[in-house]
Amino acid sequence: MSTFSNLTARGGLFVRFLQLSQVSRTISSSSSMKSKQSLVGFIGLGNMGNHMARNLLKKGYPLVIYDISKDSVKKLQEDGAKVATTPAEVASQVNRLVTMLPASAHVQEVYTGNNGIFSSVQKGSLLIDSSTIDPSVSQEMAKLAQGKGATFIDAPVSGGVNAARDGLLTFMVGGSETAYNLAKDLLSSMGKNVVHCGTVGTGQAAKICNNMLLAISMIGTSEAMNLGIKLGLEPKLLAKILNMSSGRCWSSEVYNPCPGVLDGVPSSNDYKGGFGTALMAKDLGLAQNASTVTKSPSPLGSLAHQIYRIMTNSGYADKDFSSAFKFLQDKKLNS
Ligand code: NAD
């Protein structure tokens, strides 16, 4: 049995993939799904969703948007997006809808709550959730969507806010081949890679493995930068050497956590924007659940989870996750 089906079989909450095999029959015709004339819905316009929605607008997709934060819809409204007052109001006007929300509970609320998407979703709609959430919740949403004659796929992203801004995200898609093919045009307008991972939930499985590795490498990069600086090395020189040596990784090269090493990354902007520490702690929790269910040892993932949980409860929750570097410099840890 594969690791993922193992996860599915043991998780209890997971629905059977076979129930989803009928999914392709419920999606609208491919021509209306690929059209740039009809409105596309977008819910969740935070650090990532705002850029993603803007890229859809730039590529000529008319949008109807919703977010609980009035500030986050303002700029997109000025740029031509229509604003709705509830998720239901979005769903009633579209046959394609993207959600980009913080965590599983927000996705459940937006889809199944009062005035949620499922209260007004049109038959044949394609619902694309790009949030990083528990794979079992994606599967639960897919089953509920099927009951409404719609199709739900998971399409979490990797790449960070700059990749979202530049349309360079990687989408990891879980859903039927038909749904994947229909989502591809829309997703390609926001990213450079759109990868079909398998049935619903497998996009999330790929995403949580990636983020567990990212968290471990970010903490490792922060430790190496902090130690090197204390040993008297100039930060930019140290980063340059790491990036031409075997310690090189995305965290050292593209998203260095030490302020001043790179321009245009959160570490050089007091760790504002970017990918919040609380969100990273959430993803590491998802990876730990999956490790437990599949009996996969992940000791470094577990340690990274604890470090990000402590940071979350120590004033770093809303700072970018590269603030692990700043956390290590905390006086309390350096006495
Ligand atoms: P964020 O907190 O900046 O944005 C989330 C948005 O959802 C906010 O604007 C918030 O107001 C809105 N929201 C919350 N509850 C809502 C509700 N009930 N109805 C409507 N809107 C609601 O988060 P983000 O950084 O944009 O991340 C979104 C998702 O993408 C998360 O699952 C995260 O793990 C994942 N992700 C983030 C990054 C990153 O670098 N920030 C990278 C990859 C993946």
Side-chain angles (χ1 to χ4, degrees), residues 37-333:
Q37 309 298 315
S38 57
L39 276 173
V40 172
F42 207 114
I43 299 176
L45 302 150
N47 289 331
M48 297 292 285
N50 220 288
H51 290 304
M52 292 161 70
R54 178 155 293 102
N55 280 329
L56 287 180
L57 274 180
K58 277 190 203 155
K59 295 273 165 66
Y61 289 97
L63 289 189
V64 51
I65 59 175
Y66 172 72
D67 193 294
I68 45 170
S69 148
K70 293 223 161 59
D71 280 352
S72 60
V73 298
K74 220 185 271 167
K75 189 79 183 52
L76 285 162
Q77 187 174 25
E78 283 163 20
D79 292 344
K82 193 174 165 187
V83 178
T85 54
T86 61
E89 201 181 306
V90 176
S92 65
Q93 300 178 60
V94 301
N95 67 2
R96 288 164 297 181
L97 200 166
V98 182
T99 46
M100 190 55 168
L101 297 157
S104 299
H106 307 86
V107 170
Q108 283 166 319
E109 187 193 328
V110 164
Y111 279 86
T112 67
N114 281 342
N115 289 315
I117 292 169
F118 289 143
S119 67
S120 70
V121 68
Q122 299 194 56
K123 276 199 168 43
S125 294
L126 178 62
L127 308 171
I128 304 170
D129 180 39
S130 286
S131 328
T132 305
I133 60 168
D134 195 310
S136 69
V137 174
S138 302
Q139 293 172 339
E140 187 192 326
M141 294 303 115
K143 193 181 177 194
L144 293 172
Q146 198 182 356
K148 298 277 179 186
T151 297
F152 174 101
I153 62 175
D154 54 310
V157 302
S158 85
V161 277
N162 288 352
R165 181 196 61 208
D166 300 338
L168 297 175
L169 293 169
T170 292
F171 286 89
M172 294 155 258
V173 182
S176 70
E177 185 89 33
T178 311
Y180 163 75
N181 283 327
L182 289 173
K184 214 169 161 188
D185 280 355
L186 203 63
L187 298 181
S188 300
S189 301
M190 300 181 277
K192 65 168 178 187
N193 300 309
V194 183
V195 185
H196 189 205
C197 302
T199 47
V200 174
T202 54
Q204 299 294 352
K207 171 66 187 171
I208 59 182
C209 291
N210 179 74
N211 273 23
M212 184 174 79
L213 177 56
L214 172 63
I216 293 167
S217 72
M218 180 55 81
I219 294 168
T221 302
S222 298
E223 288 183 11
M225 290 297 300
N226 188 44
L227 176 63
I229 292 164
K230 286 197 168 187
L231 288 170
L233 289 160
E234 196 277 318
K236 276 192 178 172
L237 176 70
L238 174 57
K240 187 175 161 188
I241 292 166
L242 293 178
N243 292 332
M244 54 177 63
S245 308
S246 45
R248 178 170 70 101
C249 62
W250 186 85
S251 300
S252 66
E253 192 170 32
V254 180
Y255 210 85
N256 198 289
C258 176
V261 167
L262 294 174
D263 291 331
V265 292
S267 60
S268 294
N269 187 27
D270 198 22
Y271 302 101
K272 291 192 186 109
F275 180 44
T277 288
L279 289 178
M280 180 53 101
K282 177 249 324 179
D283 289 0
L284 289 164
L286 295 174
Q288 284 306 295
N289 289 345
S291 294
T292 304
V293 169
T294 58
K295 297 197 167 123
S296 312
S298 55
L300 292 184
S302 173
L303 186 54
H305 184 211
Q306 297 309 318
I307 291 171
Y308 276 107
R309 283 184 60 203
I310 292 168
M311 286 174 63
T312 299
N313 294 324
S314 311
Y316 290 79
D318 296 328
K319 291 191 187 300
D320 180 71
F321 79 111
S322 62
S323 60
F325 175 82
K326 189 177 159 78
F327 178 67
L328 291 175
Q329 293 193 318
D330 194 305
K331 282 198 187 69
K332 279 182 261 165
L333 299 177

